[in-house]
Amino acid sequence: MKTIVLGDTHGRGIWQLIVQRENPDRVIFIGDYWDSFDIPFLDQMYNFKQIVHYARTSDKEVILLTGNHDVHYQRWAINSGENYSGFQPIHANDICQELELNQDLMQMAYKMDNFLFTHAGVTQTWLDVMEIKSDENMVDNINDYAKYKPQMFAFGAVGRKGYVDSYGDNIWQNPTWIRPKSLMKDSKNLGYIQIVGHTTQNQIDIKGKATGGKYYFIDTLETSGEYLIIEDGQVRVEKT
C-alpha cells in the first residue's frame, strides 16, 4: 500500500498534480481546506469541491482530517464567535453549508499501523482531561467527540484555568491547535509516530534531528512543496 500525506491545503490545488504523479492507494489530507491570504474564496470553494469529488468517486482510500481553519466554520463556532486568523465572515455560511453537506467524509483522527494522523497532534494531557484512553479505541473516541461534542475542539476549550497561550503552544490544547513544542513535550509515551500539519515548516525533518523520528511536521505545501509517502512501513519525502 502506498500512502501519500498532504499538508495544510488552504485552497491550493497542487494536491491534484501530486495524486496524478504518485498514483497512491491512499491519500490523507491533514486538514485546513479554507482560508488563504492570496487565493480567492471562489477558488477555495472549487478546490474543496474537487477534493470532495475525488474522495467520493476515486477507487482510492481518501481520508479528510479536520483542521482549525475548518472548525471555525462549523455552525456552533459561527454562532458563538469562535474564529481565528484568516476567517472569512462574508463567506462563512457558504463554507459551513459545504462542510455540513460533506460531514460524513470528515474526521478528526486516523490511525494506520503505528502512525497517528491529526491536524496538529494529540497529547497525553488532553487525552486525560477528555477521559480518553490511549488504547485501540482512542481514534474512534476522538472522532466521536468531534461528531457529538465538537465544542471541545474550540481554542483552549480545556486546560488549566487562567492559562491560555495565544499561539496554542500548551499541552492542554486539542488536536486542531497544539503546537510542536508542546506536542513533543507531552506525547512521548503514547506509542505512536504522529504526523501533523498546522504549524508551517520550511521542510519536513525526515532524519529526525529535532524530533527523534517520532513526529513528522508536514505543513510544507506553501514553502518547500514537500509531502510524505509511506510505503511498506517506510517514510520518505517527495517534492512538488
Side-chain angles (χ1 to χ4, degrees), residues 18 27 45 59 64 79 97 115-116 138 152 191 229 234:
I18 297 171
V27 181
M45 178 64 78
D59 60 352
L64 304 185
N79 291 340
Q97 183 178 17
F115 298 102
L116 175 63
M138 181 184 71
M152 299 307 297
I229 295 181
Q234 301 299 310

Side-chain angles (χ1 to χ4, degrees), residues 2 4 14-24 225-227 229 238-240:
K2 181 180 183 181
I4 63 173
I14 190 64
W15 65 270
Q16 293 172 302
L17 296 177
I18 297 171
V19 167
Q20 184 178 21
R21 181 171 70 182
E22 297 293 349
N23 188 30
E226 294 177 338
Y227 56 94
I229 295 181
E238 294 292 345
K239 189 174 182 178
T240 56

Side-chain angles (χ1 to χ4, degrees), residues 34-36 39-42 44 72-73 83-93 95:
W34 309 97
D35 299 340
S36 171
I39 299 174
F41 163 71
L42 290 179
Q44 296 174 44
H72 69 177
Y73 292 113
N83 58 74
Y84 320 125
S85 174
F87 183 72
Q88 304 170 82
I90 295 175
H91 305 297
N93 285 324
I95 297 174

Side-chain angles (χ1 to χ4, degrees), residues 4 17 31 45 56-57 60 62 108 180 205 211-212:
I4 63 173
L17 296 177
M45 178 64 78
R56 293 198 183 280
T57 62
K60 317 299 184 182
V62 183
M108 189 61 66
D205 178 16
T211 66

Side-chain angles (χ1 to χ4, degrees), residues 51-240:
I51 292 173
V52 166
H53 178 74
Y54 177 66
R56 293 198 183 280
T57 62
S58 173
D59 60 352
K60 317 299 184 182
E61 181 181 4
V62 183
I63 307 299
L64 304 185
L65 296 177
T66 300
N68 59 305
H69 285 273
D70 313 311
V71 165
H72 69 177
Y73 292 113
Q74 294 176 354
R75 194 156 305 278
W76 69 267
I78 294 174
N79 291 340
S80 65
E82 177 84 12
N83 58 74
Y84 320 125
S85 174
F87 183 72
Q88 304 170 82
I90 295 175
H91 305 297
N93 285 324
D94 293 323
I95 297 174
C96 178
Q97 183 178 17
E98 192 65 26
L99 288 171
E100 288 177 342
L101 287 173
N102 296 287
Q103 60 185 348
D104 60 307
L105 295 176
M106 308 294 292
Q107 58 193 88
M108 189 61 66
Y110 178 75
K111 182 171 72 71
M112 182 185 76
D113 301 326
N114 65 324
F115 298 102
L116 175 63
F117 305 85
T118 60
H119 179 65
V122 179
T123 66
Q124 186 63 59
T125 294
W126 183 81
L127 290 174
D128 289 344
V129 172
M130 301 294 286
E131 297 183 345
I132 297 175
K133 295 181 179 180
S134 56
D135 56 17
E136 67 276 6
N137 297 315
M138 181 184 71
V139 166
D140 288 339
N141 288 331
I142 292 174
N143 287 327
D144 282 345
Y145 261 110
K147 182 177 181 179
Y148 299 111
K149 208 169 183 179
Q151 296 89 340
M152 299 307 297
F153 293 90
F155 181 88
V158 301
R160 191 171 66 195
K161 185 176 181 181
Y163 179 77
V164 177
D165 181 275
S166 60
Y167 186 57
D169 194 4
N170 68 69
I171 59 177
W172 292 276
Q173 277 289 8
N174 70 70
T176 70
W177 262 108
I178 186 84
R179 297 294 181 176
K181 181 180 177 181
S182 294
L183 176 64
M184 291 189 289
K185 178 181 178 181
D186 195 58
S187 60
K188 296 177 182 178
N189 298 320
L190 287 185
Y192 295 99
I193 295 173
Q194 296 206 47
I195 298 179
V196 306
H198 184 52
T199 303
T200 304
Q201 308 290 316
N202 290 325
Q203 60 186 25
I204 300 174
D205 178 16
I206 194 69
K207 295 182 179 180
K209 292 181 179 179
T211 66
K214 296 294 185 181
Y215 308 87
Y216 293 102
F217 300 105
I218 66 166
D219 184 8
T220 52
L221 288 182
E222 189 178 14
T223 53
S224 64
E226 294 177 338
Y227 56 94
L228 278 190
I229 295 181
I230 304 174
E231 193 168 15
D232 298 326
Q234 301 299 310
V235 181
R236 69 179 189 271
V237 174
E238 294 292 345
K239 189 174 182 178
T240 56

